[in-house]
Amino acid sequence: YNMPFAQITALVLLLSMIFSKEKQAIPINSLTFIWGCFIVWMGITTLLAYYPDAAYIQFKKVIKIQLMTVLTMILIDNMTKLRQLIWVIVLSISYYSVKGGVFTLLTGGTYRVWGPPGSFIEDNNTLAVAVLMVIALMMYLYQTAEKKWVKNALIFMVIFSLFTVLGSQSRGALLAIIAVGGFYWLKSKSKVYSGIFIAIAAVALLSFMPDSWYERMHTIENYEEDGSAMGRINAWKYAFNAANDNFFGVGFDSWSPETFLLYAPVPEDVHAAHSIYFSVLADHGWPGLIMFLLILFMSWQKLSKIIKKTKNDDSFKEYEILAKMLQIAFISYIVGGAFLSISYFDLPWHLVCFVLLLEQFVKRETIDDTAKI
């Protein structure tokens, strides 16, 4: 149990990068520039952190994640490899999402579903958002799979994963599902049929959940009476005040009684950020939040351009499908992450990496097609 699997994997990847002839340069564009600046900025805020020792420990974890995304950009040089990596991600998360869906069905949705202990997705809320993001990748694999049994297996995984999201009893995930459903309906060619499908699916899933689930979801409307919700608002105000008073933010792992005494409206109510936005705001100040938002915005813009470029061209169909599903995954993260401390979770950063890779592949294919003509 003490085997350092993550370190071994990183070492293997580094050796692969050194000896492999099938590698490519990191794309240099506005997105990678802002991304690089954000990484450097996190290093600066760590040096100036309120708790520099604790911040350094967290910074090392974040840098390791960022290193893996950089290696991904270097080693994944074609669509086949990217598809294989997506399969690895889907199968890794679906082990827990399918198991959680079965648990929800067997227990009638009475108990919450939790993620693997000691991981980024241990918390029920974080697990739910991660599963929603992976469901989008499942749908990409479903639409591009050729074998019928693979398609059937993926549908099975999607259904049970949706039950896991509901079984997590995450209110943030519910809002993310609504946002994803609304986006899918707006982008669909036939809004009548897609609206009917979404309504039927919603009724089928929600009718299974017990009264206790509905009672928890209804607290969204009466958040003033919910201690958890008010604690988050107090933490968000803390982040706002801390960023206004510190240009570089207060650094990683600053959410403590001492700092809350300085900046929180209710100092004794110490909470984690519970938001990707306020987490970055407190950790790295307003410049850090602006860079973080720019990374998400630029990723979305690149996906929109890819979809426009590949639309109605069968030779680019897979690229178009993946771009659309990545947008849905980003919506899950942007909406669900508004209530979760997963700013540095590796999956969203790999999604940004996938955007850059997809853009490269589309450009390469376009140039090759032009050369043939």
Side-chain angles (χ1 to χ4, degrees):
Y1 293 99
N2 295 321
M3 183 70 72
F5 291 107
Q7 289 89 335
I8 292 172
T9 302
L11 181 60
V12 171
L13 280 172
L14 283 170
L15 291 173
S16 299
M17 183 186 70
I18 293 171
F19 294 106
S20 176
K21 295 180 180 179
E22 297 179 357
K23 55 187 178 183
Q24 60 191 354
I26 298 173
I28 304 300
N29 53 45
S30 57
L31 176 53
T32 53
F33 175 75
I34 295 296
W35 192 352
C37 289
F38 183 59
I39 294 172
V40 172
W41 186 259
M42 288 191 291
I44 295 173
T45 62
T46 298
L47 293 174
L48 303 173
Y50 195 89
Y51 300 109
D53 292 338
Y56 178 67
I57 293 173
Q58 180 63 22
F59 178 69
K60 286 197 298 183
K61 296 178 182 178
V62 172
I63 281 297
K64 289 176 182 177
I65 290 171
Q66 297 296 330
L67 176 60
M68 289 301 101
T69 58
V70 171
L71 292 178
T72 299
M73 280 190 280
I74 294 173
L75 295 174
I76 304 297
D77 59 351
N78 58 60
M79 197 64 190
T80 300
K81 291 180 181 178
L82 179 56
R83 192 185 311 112
Q84 290 170 346
L85 178 56
I86 291 174
W87 266 113
V88 171
I89 293 172
V90 166
L91 293 176
S92 299
I93 302 295
S94 65
Y95 171 80
Y96 298 99
S97 65
V98 171
K99 185 174 69 171
V102 172
F103 174 78
T104 300
L105 286 167
L106 292 177
T107 59
T110 305
Y111 303 98
R112 293 186 191 180
V113 178
W114 301 87
S119 69
F120 265 110
I121 57 174
E122 177 180 5
D123 180 72
N124 63 312
N125 300 292
T126 309
L127 173 68
V129 173
V131 170
L132 276 175
M133 295 166 68
V134 169
I135 286 175
L137 299 180
M138 291 179 185
M139 292 308 300
Y140 153 70
L141 294 174
Y142 170 80
Q143 293 181 68
T144 56
E146 296 179 356
K147 297 181 180 179
K148 187 175 181 180
W149 71 268
V150 174
K151 286 181 174 289
N152 292 337
L154 285 164
I155 288 296
F156 169 87
M157 291 160 63
V158 168
I159 292 172
F160 278 93
S161 295
L162 286 171
F163 274 110
T164 288
V165 174
L166 295 178
S168 70
Q169 299 188 19
S170 171
R171 291 165 292 188
L174 177 64
L175 295 176
I177 290 177
I178 294 172
V180 168
F183 178 78
Y184 177 81
W185 180 77
L186 286 172
K187 292 294 182 178
S188 62
K189 295 180 180 179
S190 177
K191 290 183 170 51
V192 174
Y193 288 114
S194 61
I196 293 173
F197 171 77
I198 292 172
I200 293 174
V203 170
L205 289 167
L206 295 177
S207 62
F208 181 82
M209 302 310 293
D211 293 338
S212 59
W213 184 88
Y214 286 95
E215 291 172 3
R216 178 169 173 76
M217 296 304 113
H218 283 155
T219 60
I220 296 175
E221 301 175 2
N222 305 310
Y223 67 90
E224 300 93 340
E225 302 173 9
D226 184 79
S228 175
M230 295 308 295
R232 293 184 182 192
I233 293 174
N234 185 59
W236 296 349
K237 290 180 178 178
Y238 155 79
F240 182 81
N241 293 334
N244 285 341
D245 197 47
N246 299 272
F247 180 74
F248 295 95
V250 283
F252 291 112
D253 284 350
S254 67
W255 307 78
S256 69
E258 291 81 5
T259 51
F260 266 62
L261 186 63
L262 291 172
Y263 300 116
V266 186
E268 63 274 13
D269 190 9
V270 180
H271 277 71
H274 290 299
S275 168
I276 56 176
Y277 310 111
F278 289 100
S279 173
V280 173
L281 178 61
D283 291 348
H284 313 298
W286 288 105
L289 177 60
I290 290 171
M291 284 184 276
F292 180 74
L293 293 175
L294 278 174
I295 290 169
L296 296 175
F297 175 75
M298 289 178 176
S299 298
W300 183 274
Q301 287 294 93
K302 285 184 178 296
L303 288 173
S304 297
K305 290 179 180 178
I306 291 170
I307 293 169
K308 185 177 180 180
K309 193 171 186 178
T310 58
K311 193 175 182 180
N312 301 323
D313 189 335
D314 290 340
S315 62
F316 289 99
K317 191 65 178 177
E318 184 174 2
Y319 300 119
E320 180 189 4
I321 293 171
L322 180 55
K324 288 180 177 179
M325 293 303 105
L326 285 174
Q327 281 193 331
I328 290 176
F330 272 114
I331 289 176
S332 300
Y333 179 65
I334 290 168
V335 177
F339 308 96
L340 297 173
S341 302
I342 52 173
S343 310
Y344 315 108
F345 177 35
D346 53 352
L347 181 55
W349 292 102
H350 272 89
L351 294 184
V352 176
C353 172
F354 293 169
V355 172
L356 290 165
L357 290 173
L358 191 58
E359 181 185 48
Q360 278 190 297
F361 299 160
V362 171
K363 285 182 178 178
R364 187 187 305 162
E365 290 292 327
T366 304
I367 292 172
D368 290 344
D369 289 346
T370 304
K372 290 177 183 177
I373 295 173

